[in-house]
Amino acid sequence: MSDTTGVSVMVTEPSPAPGTAKPPGRPGPFRRTTPVRASRGLVTILVATLLLFLVSLVLQPESLGRSSLQGMLPFAAVLAVVALGQTLVVQQAGIDLSVPGTVSLSVIIVTHYPNGDNGKLFPAILLAYGAALAAGLLNGLVVSRLGMSAIVTSLGTNALLYAVVLGVSGGSPASTTAALHAMATGRFLGLPYSVWFAAVLVAATGFVMKRMVAGRRFEAVGDNPAAAGLAGLRVRRHQLGAYVGASLLYGTAGILLAGVVTTPGAFQGDSLLLPSVAAVVLGGTSLLGGKGSPVASAVAALFLSQLDQFVLTLGVSAATNNIVQAVALGAGVAVYTVDWAVVRGWFRRGPAARTQH
């Protein structure tokens, strides 16, 4: 049922007496009463991705060649994991600008600390996750407890993370270990392990969001924090969890990226900020918070990666590629935020009516 604040509230039916059959048609407290339907964002980005691949096949078939796909998919997987984390933050009406710093620090830790020694890889991975956890806690506590702007907070955290990156690496790259490279680029059923890692994370997050009570509460808090608080939901805890979960996903992306790129730079995460936001927007998650689709964000990451591959195959400059990404982001904002019914009605009224209005 729903209260006057607009937040869906779950009512738990009392258990039937022993020996009494449960009345038919009454679902348990953890079962959905309605089937899960594909969101508008998921359908839209699936259609757009299919059309992009068809256009690529007709105009630039080499962008879909075996070598091109094998080179593109690991980076698409990394972007999907980053977009998954950004989705969690955006669902809580925030935006995380600490993506580059968190990814870069994870890259630096898992390359500089082992320094080619496979035996030191596992402790380095734990250290990278510890750093990501600290960054997420810093962002989450400042935003949820102190009420600071998410943009200002994450931007400051990003600066701190880059200070650590420079302190550890001195700005110089280091080669990844053979074990990490094999973990990220090895193949199973023809696909790189990094793609399988990303698929598991996306599936698990999507299941929690759409099939479990915790996920629906998370979306309710992001949609209307004040009403969710009145309904008894722990708003600050959900906001904190969004930043912590997102930061851990950025750390995972950094570890995978360090395995994909044999000699990653100290600022390897710089190129992931704009695409991560674009993937979230193209996937249909509102920048005002609320419902979102982790699967749609992951598909949007594949869309952006193939778009990047297609544009580069055309032989254009990197600056043009950035413009194309910005246009894609603008298109996503327009598709999901503009009331096109009003726009169509405005044009149908004619010039005279528009002048009078």
Side-chain angles (χ1 to χ4, degrees):
M1 62 178 293
S2 299
D3 64 2
T4 56
T5 62
V7 177
S8 296
V9 181
M10 176 176 295
V11 178
T12 304
E13 297 290 339
S15 301
T20 305
K22 186 176 180 179
R26 291 186 180 181
F30 298 103
R31 190 183 304 170
R32 294 187 65 92
T33 57
T34 57
V36 178
R37 296 180 180 179
S39 65
R40 176 191 173 192
L42 179 57
V43 173
T44 302
I45 194 59
L46 280 174
V47 172
T49 303
L50 178 60
L51 290 176
L52 174 62
F53 274 88
L54 289 176
V55 171
S56 301
L57 182 62
V58 173
L59 300 181
Q60 289 293 334
E62 58 268 27
S63 68
L64 293 178
R66 179 179 177 83
S67 59
S68 297
L69 288 177
Q70 294 293 352
M72 179 269 289
L73 286 176
F75 291 100
V78 170
L79 178 56
V81 176
V82 174
L84 191 61
Q86 191 73 263
T87 300
L88 298 179
V89 175
V90 172
Q91 282 188 275
Q92 295 301 312
I95 191 166
D96 196 342
L97 302 184
S98 66
V99 169
T102 309
V103 172
S104 296
L105 182 56
S106 298
V107 169
I108 289 302
I109 291 175
V110 297
T111 54
H112 279 72
Y113 178 75
N115 197 24
D117 185 356
N118 290 330
K120 295 182 179 180
L121 177 59
F122 183 69
I125 291 176
L126 293 180
L127 184 59
Y129 275 122
L133 177 62
L137 285 172
L138 177 60
N139 280 331
L141 289 173
V142 173
V143 171
S144 64
R145 299 291 176 177
L146 301 182
M148 290 286 291
S149 164
I151 294 178
V152 175
T153 301
S154 58
L155 190 62
T157 301
N158 190 66
L160 290 175
L161 292 170
Y162 265 135
V164 179
V165 167
L166 290 174
V168 173
S169 68
S172 61
S175 298
T176 189
T177 62
L180 183 57
H181 183 64
M183 182 182 73
T185 60
R187 306 244 186 269
F188 176 69
L189 298 179
L191 293 176
Y193 289 150
S194 54
V195 174
W196 292 107
F197 284 132
V200 169
L201 289 172
V202 171
T205 306
F207 179 82
V208 171
M209 286 293 172
K210 303 304 179 183
R211 290 287 186 178
M212 296 184 67
V213 174
R216 300 199 291 278
R217 289 175 176 172
F218 182 85
E219 290 182 340
V221 170
D223 183 58
N224 193 330
L230 293 175
L233 301 183
R234 298 180 181 274
V235 175
R236 291 179 177 179
R237 180 177 296 180
H238 285 86
Q239 292 174 343
L240 174 62
Y243 285 94
V244 171
S247 193
L248 291 174
L249 287 168
Y250 305 152
T252 302
I255 294 170
L256 292 176
L257 186 58
V260 172
V261 182
T262 54
T263 309
F267 307 99
Q268 198 71 40
D270 282 357
S271 61
L272 292 171
L273 178 57
L274 178 60
S276 72
V277 177
V280 173
V281 173
L282 291 173
T285 301
S286 172
L287 294 176
L288 300 178
K291 291 185 177 181
S293 173
V295 177
S297 295
V299 175
L302 176 61
F303 172 87
L304 290 171
S305 299
Q306 176 56 28
L307 180 63
D308 180 68
Q309 184 94 326
F310 175 72
V311 172
L312 290 178
T313 307
L314 292 175
V316 302
S317 63
T320 304
N321 189 34
N322 291 334
I323 293 175
V324 171
Q325 287 187 353
V327 170
L329 176 58
V333 173
V335 167
Y336 297 115
T337 60
V338 175
D339 191 339
W340 293 105
V342 174
V343 174
R344 287 193 298 269
W346 187 71
F347 276 103
R348 288 172 181 170
R349 285 195 296 267
R354 291 198 294 268
T355 302
Q356 293 176 0
H357 181 74

